[in-house]
Structure formats: structure tokens, C-alpha cells
Amino acid sequence: LFAKASASNRNSEHDLFADDDDLASSWTPDDRSEVTLADHSAWVKRAVEKIASRCLPQEFFDPLCHAAYWHDVGKLDERFQLVLRQGDEIANGFGEPLAKSAFVPTSPARREAIREAAGLPKGFRHEFLSFQLVERHAGLSAGEHAADLVLHLVASHHGHARPFAPVVPDSEPPAVSGRHDGIVIA
């Protein structure tokens, strides 16, 4: 559900790297702490479980919860992590992978400079990397309708891939590694 923003909220955008869909789940302006991928994934899954348990049959409930937990795993890309840490390479080498930044530069030129310095292609969509990682690592059973639903939900969670994903050339994608839900991703 969406509601019109109040006048006080209309003038500020809390996560300038986000799409409109992402802004609906952003934290309040007073809470400027980083959000780890593990915490964000768990929070989104809990929210989906709470809503879906009231209105969906089990055949849809499980895939929806699975997609909710895995939807942002593409943010493990080291370049994306560097962007989330505003280009701070030292901070990027420590701590858990992030899903949300503590701070986002308000200057479009600064955001673009950070993206370029990180080597992240212009137009990069983390949800399509998430799709690839989910397909390989999330324990989906090939050929099942539930697996297709999980993959569709992950790929389209920001509104792209409905029906076509934008093409973004990535001439030198780095290897992606990390852990999610106790599963080693490499």
C-alpha cells in the first residue's frame, strides 16, 4: 500500500540510489545507521511472513518468503558494496556486507564519481545479479513452478524485468563471494 507523502517528507529522498519501490522500505531520516544484508534480509522476510500468512496458501507462501530473504544477495558485488560505503575502500574491507548505506551523498555528481571509481557499470541492477546467485545458491529445485516464481520475484522486485530487463554491459564483472543464510557463495 502506498500513501501520499506528507509535505515534510516530500522534500527529502532518503536513499538516492533507490528506486521508488525501494524507498517505500527505507528507514526514517533520524536513523542513519548502516543496515547489513543479513539484517535487511531477515526483516524483509519477517514482514512478508506476517502479511502473506494472512492471505496466501502455502504453495505461494514459501516461495514468497524465500524470495524475500534472497532478494538483495546481488548486493554482495564488491563494487556495489563500495558504492554503499561511499567509496571508502578501507571500510569496505571490514564488517558485514551492507544492504543499506548510513549516508548517501546528495550531489548527483558525487554519486556518479563514487560509482565510476568503484567500477560499477552505469545502470547496474543488483536484482539481476541476485537472480543469478539465487539460481545457483538458494537451493531451488530446477523445473518447479515455485522456483520460477522465486526467480521472477527476485528479478522484478524493483519493477524492472516486467517483462524485460534493461541490458547493462559489464565487461569485467568481479567474482562474487560471501555468505547468505549460512550458504557460501562463490
Side-chain angles (χ1 to χ4, degrees):
L1 300 174
F2 292 91
K4 278 190 165 184
S6 66
S8 63
N9 288 338
R10 242 181 249 134
N11 297 325
S12 66
E13 184 176 295
H14 310 304
D15 186 344
L16 298 171
F17 288 112
D19 290 345
D20 290 338
D21 291 348
D22 203 26
L23 293 176
S25 65
S26 65
W27 57 97
T28 64
D30 297 334
D31 182 10
R32 293 294 182 185
S33 60
E34 297 173 337
V35 178
T36 67
L37 179 61
D39 285 345
H40 175 69
S41 298
W43 295 339
V44 171
K45 182 181 177 191
R46 271 196 304 274
V48 166
E49 285 172 340
K50 188 174 184 178
I51 295 167
S53 67
R54 296 178 178 152
C55 60
L56 290 178
Q58 198 66 36
E59 67 183 302
F60 296 116
F61 178 84
D62 291 336
L64 188 63
C65 291
H66 203 71
Y69 190 79
W70 282 84
H71 78 283
D72 271 351
V73 74
K75 290 182 178 181
L76 285 173
D77 184 298
E78 63 190 33
R79 303 166 302 174
F80 199 89
Q81 287 295 304
L82 193 55
V83 168
L84 289 174
R85 289 191 167 93
Q86 297 82 46
D88 186 340
E89 292 178 3
I90 294 172
N92 204 38
F94 298 99
E96 290 186 56
L98 299 180
K100 301 285 182 181
S101 295
F103 168 79
V104 177
T106 55
S107 162
R110 179 68 182 137
R111 292 192 309 273
E112 182 68 11
I114 291 169
R115 184 201 56 74
E116 284 181 9
L120 195 65
K122 187 175 184 96
F124 176 86
R125 303 298 318 175
H126 72 274
E127 59 268 35
F128 302 127
L129 178 55
S130 293
F131 174 97
Q132 293 174 327
L133 295 175
V134 168
E135 191 172 42
R136 289 178 178 92
H137 298 285
L140 301 177
S141 299
E144 289 189 20
H145 293 298
D148 291 341
L149 177 58
V150 169
L151 292 170
H152 173 73
L153 292 170
V154 168
S156 64
H157 79 266
H158 280 293
H160 297 277
R162 297 182 191 168
F164 301 112
V167 175
V168 177
D170 194 352
S171 60
E172 297 182 37
V176 175
S177 62
R179 294 179 81 72
H180 194 63
D181 198 26
I183 296 169
V184 175
I185 293 173

